Amino acid sequence: MNKILLVIKREYLTRVRKRSFIIMTFLGPLLMASVIILPIIFSQISDQSKKTILVLDETGVFYGKFEDSDNIQFQYITTDIETAKNNLLKNEDDGLVYIPRTELNLPSSAVLYSKKQFPASIRSYIRNIMKKEVEALKLAASGIDQEVILSIKAKINLVSIKIDKDGAEEKTFTEVSMVLGIFAGILIYMFIFIFGAQVMRGVIEEKTNRIVEIIVSSVKPFQLMMGKILGLALVGLTQFLLWIILTFAIVSVFQVAYADQIPKESLTQVVPGQEQIMMQEEEMHADTEQQNVARAFEIIRTIDFGVMILGFLFYFLFGYLLYAALFAAIGSASDTEVDTQQFMLPVSIPLILSLVMAQFVMRYPDGPLAFWFSIIPLTSPVIMMVRIPFGVPYWELYLSMALLILGFLGTTWLAGKIYRTGILMYGKKINYKELWKWLKYKS
Amino acid sequence: MKEMDLLTANNISKQYANHLALDDVSVAVPKQSIFGLLGPNGAGKTSLIRIINMITAPDKGNLIFKGEKMHYDHVKNIGYLPEERGLYRKMKVGEQALYLAQLKGLGKPEAQKKLKSWFEKFDIDKWWNRKVEELSKGMQQKIQFIVTVVHEPELLIFDEPFSGFDPINVNLLKDEIFRLRNEGATILFSTHNMASVEELCDHIALINKSQKILDGKVKEIKQQYRANIFAVSFNGSAEPLVGFLNDKFSILDEYEEEGLRNAKIKIQPGYDANDLLNVMIKNVKIHSLQEILPTMNDIFIDKIREQDGHE
């Protein structure tokens, strides 16, 4: 046991001290933080210049109707269109809205002249104002008061509530669950592939360096394999933890440094994480900021974070352990990384399949497909993580976890048998028939 | 089993898929001996060595180490230098040596102390903090040797130790092998280099095609395989040897060198060197007479041919 610790320590320390680890540790959070921060900065930059737009309304319908916004100022002019266009080129103004005269009908078109292409937001702002005005006029023409219209306009807020057997009610937020689930699933998928491949490369390294036989004369091959797998698991967890802490730190620093310049709502939308991004769509017409925040808290409360975090740590770790042993076995049967390709396919297929399936599972989290894929150990780490935010019956969760542990013991046992023969084979092209024979050797 | 054997392997068999690597092989390695495990490539030497190191388990047979049935704790009493040997290229020398010594059960301070003194002895202490890949091959070999012996094992196993070593390191290794033996260690090494066997070993076992075909003390084996061949040098008479030697003797070789006549003569069974001398004294002036013992190489080749011939 003491020897496994020595192996773990070596694997951990040599990797954590590597330059690539340190670079990745800092680069990862910078990337993640910039995904959060850059859009805010960019939106600030584009918002800064105030635009002046001239309005040449030959119909007279829209006079005084264009309201100035934070970054657009409207000016009404009455020249003819040719001089207006010429002036636009000479003057500082940014654009010109030209609404040509109509004889009988209400105006239904306009032209927006500009020296530079306007962003879509400005175009839709202008269009909305015109649309509203024309609609109001049409209503007036048909004798309906605008007030009446406003009073019959309905806004539906569909709240979904999940009722369980005990009669307890719980609001659900499907989109949030989807994002959380798929995010966790992808993280697990990436962790397994990145660190599984590192296990494999580590095994090949020991083979090509010819140090492995020296080591297995002191340590059982199985201990060496497990030491490597566990050591790398710790490296992965360390990196993951550092990423979370650093990302949080960078965002917080940014938040403090720019607190004055950035409107409050853009930060509250960003900092608590994924939830609000989905909410934005749902809540385009949020009435007030307080309601928004209250809703955010409500959403966060509905997610069972205890199960979520524990589930994530469990599937993160055991999913990796299940595959890492297989990766170790592949490494042991290969002399170079090129040799590994023939064995990589069957190991990659269940992982890739589970990521593909995740999109269906996300839509039907309680269907038979979701159930079976979240029970079978090879796919359960990703699929179960996608399901957990939607709520999974405990018996399914426990069954899946128990099977994953059994699966881990099973693959590790099989992989150990291949590994201990493979690491001492040099320069021999290995095929599946050969692997099958190794499984039957006495230790 | 004799009391003085450090290790005995009894009736070891090992089967790989379509290949019987060891077929009922027994060897006894006496304490404080230098034991040569000989045989052509693919004979099963490395398979046996891996079984002794408990890297693989035999299908049949057992191992007795220091009078006990061998168990995994015994591996810390063994130092093993495999035929396929190397080091982590990206790791620092000292750190790596410490790691390997600790895997053999040494505590860190103890390992540090012992390694430092070995590094000084081999004059490589200034390389402690360098990466292995910066070292020359010869220096890496020294480090491999050090990590094999640093935990002062009772049994040292070297698999083809002289292959890949440069001549200076071969001598260093030989000197260390003798020194370690004199300090109480038992050394088992496998080789197909017969010259080193004559020089180093006091016991051997010869393995061919998965079977042991010969074992024992080197001196005794040589005696056993003596062919009654004598080298005589003489001068005096110009008469050819055939003129006075009768059919009790056959001449294998005859030549002149620095004014002396030399001959290799095989004495037929039932006669001995005195009979040869009696005949020769009457005809020539004897300068010297010496029995030619077979070299291990001759015995090795003979025995293997003999076994291969039987099949």
Side-chain angles (χ1 to χ4, degrees):
Chain A
M1 203 56 217
N2 197 19
K3 287 181 180 173
I4 285 199
L5 287 179
L6 279 169
V7 178
I8 292 175
K9 199 173 127 201
R10 193 202 82 86
E11 294 293 336
Y12 184 79
L13 287 179
T14 53
R15 284 199 165 69
V16 167
R17 280 184 300 196
K18 264 191 190 165
R19 204 168 299 140
S20 58
F21 177 87
I22 296 166
I23 291 172
M24 272 311 286
T25 300
F26 287 99
L27 215 59
L30 273 178
L31 280 174
M32 281 195 264
S34 57
V35 165
I36 297 169
I37 293 170
L38 282 182
I40 300 174
I41 292 179
F42 283 143
S43 68
Q44 292 306 108
I45 291 168
S46 60
D47 277 352
Q48 267 159 13
S49 66
K50 197 153 182 153
K51 299 220 165 24
T52 311
I53 295 176
L54 304 172
V55 179
L56 172 56
D57 176 17
E58 291 178 349
T59 63
V61 171
F62 303 103
Y63 185 78
K65 301 292 184 192
F66 287 100
E67 279 173 45
D68 292 352
S69 76
D70 285 345
N71 48 6
I72 314 172
Q73 200 179 13
F74 292 101
Q75 263 177 30
Y76 301 92
I77 51 165
T78 49
T79 54
D80 66 287
I81 178 66
E82 287 310 316
T83 32
K85 278 202 276 188
N86 286 335
N87 287 345
L88 178 68
L89 285 172
K90 274 180 259 164
N91 297 342
E92 299 277 287
D93 308 318
D94 299 283
L96 166 70
V97 181
Y98 169 56
I99 303 150
R101 184 189 310 281
T102 49
E103 290 305 329
L104 293 168
N105 302 324
L106 285 163
S108 61
S109 66
V111 187
L112 178 63
Y113 296 98
S114 62
K115 281 185 276 194
K116 277 189 229 144
Q117 178 85 44
F118 278 136
S121 59
I122 293 184
R123 289 158 52 92
S124 65
Y125 183 79
I126 294 170
R127 198 169 42 231
N128 278 338
I129 288 177
M130 289 180 65
K131 187 176 154 218
K132 223 156 79 186
E133 207 44 50
V134 172
E135 275 173 5
L137 284 173
K138 282 186 176 170
L139 287 170
S142 23
I144 301 167
D145 190 355
Q146 180 127 27
E147 292 295 311
V148 178
I149 294 295
L150 277 179
S151 71
I152 54 174
K153 240 189 182 161
K155 187 182 156 201
I156 306 299
N157 193 354
L158 180 66
V159 178
S160 27
I161 292 177
K162 194 167 74 181
I163 306 176
D164 64 19
K165 278 196 217 97
D166 310 330
E169 295 182 3
E170 195 183 10
K171 287 194 185 177
T172 61
F173 298 89
T174 312
E175 291 83 356
V176 178
S177 304
M178 279 164 83
V179 168
L180 269 182
I182 204 84
F183 184 69
I186 289 173
L187 263 182
I188 288 178
Y189 170 87
M190 280 172 42
F191 180 74
I192 291 175
F193 256 126
I194 293 173
F195 285 89
Q198 285 212 37
V199 170
M200 192 178 77
R201 261 184 247 122
V203 173
I204 293 175
E205 186 205 357
E206 279 168 358
K207 261 188 94 172
T208 51
N209 283 349
R210 298 287 193 263
I211 195 173
V212 70
E213 196 163 348
I214 294 177
I215 294 177
V216 294
S217 70
S218 324
V219 178
K220 286 179 187 163
F222 189 76
Q223 290 178 315
L224 176 62
M225 184 179 91
M226 280 322 286
K228 184 176 285 296
I229 289 172
L230 293 175
L232 270 158
L234 290 179
V235 175
L237 287 174
T238 307
Q239 184 147 67
F240 191 64
L241 206 69
L242 285 174
W243 276 353
I244 291 175
I245 294 169
L246 284 173
T247 305
F248 196 74
I250 292 173
V251 173
S252 311
V253 166
F254 173 81
Q255 195 175 357
V256 171
Y258 289 85
D260 307 334
Q261 287 140 40
I262 290 166
K264 266 220 180 73
E265 68 267 33
S266 62
L267 270 181
T268 46
Q269 274 175 1
V270 169
V271 175
Q274 295 287 342
E275 294 91 321
Q276 273 81 358
I277 293 169
M278 294 309 295
M279 235 180 60
Q280 270 179 305
E281 288 176 15
E282 207 175 285
E283 280 291 288
M284 279 297 268
H285 311 286
D287 298 323
T288 66
E289 206 172 293
Q290 278 92 344
Q291 264 187 357
N292 215 342
V293 173
R295 238 180 110 85
F297 277 116
E298 196 178 9
I299 289 174
I300 291 167
R301 267 204 312 276
T302 63
I303 308 284
D304 194 340
F305 275 95
V307 174
M308 188 74 199
I309 290 170
L310 287 178
F312 182 74
L313 283 177
F314 179 87
Y315 284 103
F316 190 73
L317 201 63
F318 278 88
Y320 159 78
L321 289 175
L322 176 94
Y323 278 96
L326 293 176
F327 279 107
I330 293 175
S332 76
S334 315
D335 280 333
T336 63
E337 219 163 310
V338 181
D339 295 346
T340 61
Q341 281 164 5
Q342 54 165 335
F343 302 118
M344 279 298 281
L345 192 67
V347 175
S348 311
I349 282 178
L351 264 178
I352 294 169
L353 183 72
S354 54
L355 201 65
V356 173
M357 281 299 156
Q359 297 165 38
F360 296 98
V361 171
M362 199 167 73
R363 259 173 268 159
Y364 308 103
D366 293 315
L369 200 73
F371 173 78
W372 286 110
F373 276 99
S374 64
I375 295 298
I376 296 167
L378 285 169
T379 52
S380 66
V382 173
I383 299 295
M384 192 50 109
M385 265 335 282
V386 175
R387 287 187 67 200
I388 284 180
F390 293 96
V392 177
Y394 277 113
W395 72 267
E396 285 185 24
L397 199 60
Y398 292 145
L399 177 65
S400 160
M401 285 178 161
L403 284 176
L404 185 59
I405 292 174
L406 282 179
F408 152 66
L409 295 175
T411 56
T412 307
W413 179 75
L414 275 179
K417 283 180 149 251
I418 289 174
Y419 177 84
R420 61 161 198 243
T421 307
I423 49 171
L424 299 175
M425 291 277 174
Y426 303 112
K428 196 176 170 192
K429 195 90 183 141
I430 306 302
N431 51 30
Y432 284 103
K433 210 175 132 200
E434 192 80 18
L435 289 187
W436 178 246
K437 283 180 199 158
W438 294 359
L439 285 179
K440 293 183 292 189
Y441 287 163
K442 206 177 156 192
S443 65
Chain B
M1 191 199 105
K2 286 173 282 174
E3 192 58 41
M4 55 198 275
D5 290 338
L6 180 73
L7 172 88
T8 52
N10 302 313
N11 311 98
I12 302 284
S13 292
K14 178 77 182 176
Q15 173 87 42
Y16 287 111
N18 310 318
H19 165 65
L20 186 63
L22 291 168
D23 181 9
D24 198 32
V25 171
S26 300
V27 291
V29 182
K31 204 167 160 48
Q32 241 187 314
S33 65
I34 300 180
F35 191 99
L37 195 58
L38 319 179
N41 289 327
K45 292 175 304 215
T46 299
S47 295
L48 182 60
I49 283 175
R50 283 181 180 162
I51 287 170
I52 294 170
N53 273 300
M54 306 203 82
I55 292 171
T56 49
D59 297 333
K60 276 184 218 142
N62 61 56
L63 295 162
I64 308 290
F65 188 79
K66 289 166 75 180
E68 290 175 54
K69 195 167 186 317
M70 198 163 179
H71 54 84
Y72 200 76
D73 275 352
H74 284 137
V75 298
K76 68 171 186 289
N77 298 318
I78 300 179
Y80 176 39
L81 186 69
E83 183 179 8
E84 296 281 359
R85 50 185 170 248
L87 297 163
Y88 287 112
R89 297 181 51 75
K90 300 272 176 201
M91 215 174 162
K92 284 182 183 164
V93 174
E95 209 181 325
Q96 179 153 208
L98 266 178
Y99 171 62
L100 293 170
Q102 280 177 282
L103 282 183
K104 276 292 182 193
L106 288 186
K108 198 172 179 183
E110 194 188 1
Q112 184 117 22
K113 215 178 99 202
K114 284 183 175 161
L115 283 169
K116 286 277 187 199
S117 77
W118 273 103
F119 271 56
E120 276 162 31
K121 182 174 180 185
F122 283 1
D123 200 25
I124 50 172
D125 45 332
K126 57 182 175 296
W127 296 90
W128 183 270
N129 272 322
R130 303 294 282 273
K131 279 187 181 169
V132 169
E133 58 187 354
E134 300 172 44
L135 267 58
S136 72
K137 235 184 156 111
M139 268 189 265
Q140 294 190 28
Q141 288 165 353
K142 284 179 182 169
I143 291 157
Q144 285 159 5
F145 177 77
I146 291 172
V147 298
T148 311
V149 300
V150 66
H151 58 294
E152 291 163 10
E154 289 166 81
L155 177 62
L156 281 159
I157 301 177
F158 301 111
D159 197 356
E160 298 289 357
F162 304 115
S163 72
F165 270 53
D166 59 52
I168 295 169
N169 279 338
V170 166
N171 276 333
L172 188 80
L173 190 61
K174 281 180 182 165
D175 291 347
E176 283 301 324
I177 285 177
F178 280 126
R179 196 186 60 76
L180 289 163
R181 196 268 312 267
N182 294 339
E183 286 177 4
T186 306
I187 288 125
L188 170 70
F189 75 89
S190 91
T191 186
H192 47 242
N193 175 352
M194 288 303 139
S196 60
V197 174
E198 303 264 355
E199 195 181 340
L200 292 170
C201 296
D202 30 48
H203 287 74
I204 61 123
L206 178 56
I207 293 179
N208 187 40
K209 298 202 167 159
S210 320
Q211 289 172 329
K212 184 185 76 181
I213 52 179
L214 178 70
D215 68 341
K217 282 188 178 165
V218 171
K219 278 181 196 153
E220 287 171 7
I221 289 171
K222 283 189 152 193
Q223 287 298 322
Q224 192 187 333
Y225 284 85
R226 60 199 278 201
N228 249 0
I229 295 170
F230 288 83
V232 201
S233 51
F234 54 93
N235 52 25
S237 167
E239 198 186 337
L241 278 174
V242 276
F244 55 85
L245 284 182
N246 52 33
D247 59 0
K248 294 173 191 165
F249 313 102
S250 50
I251 301 153
L252 301 178
D253 194 14
E254 198 179 349
Y255 59 96
E256 267 197 55
E257 200 178 65
E258 290 168 14
L260 281 175
R261 291 173 69 191
N262 297 280
K264 253 191 201 168
I265 297 165
K266 184 173 166 67
I267 303 172
Q268 297 301 334
Y271 305 94
D272 61 20
N274 280 358
D275 298 322
L276 176 65
L277 276 176
N278 277 333
V279 178
M280 291 195 65
I281 284 169
K282 290 171 194 155
N283 295 284
V284 297
K285 192 176 174 198
I286 299 285
H287 198 264
S288 73
L289 176 93
Q290 192 181 15
E291 181 171 11
I292 299 178
L293 285 174
T295 63
M296 284 311 294
N297 201 35
D298 299 334
I299 299 171
F300 179 87
I301 290 168
D302 275 357
K303 286 298 289 184
I304 284 166
R305 285 221 181 104
E306 190 185 311
Q307 195 199 14
D308 293 356
H310 282 310
E311 281 166 20

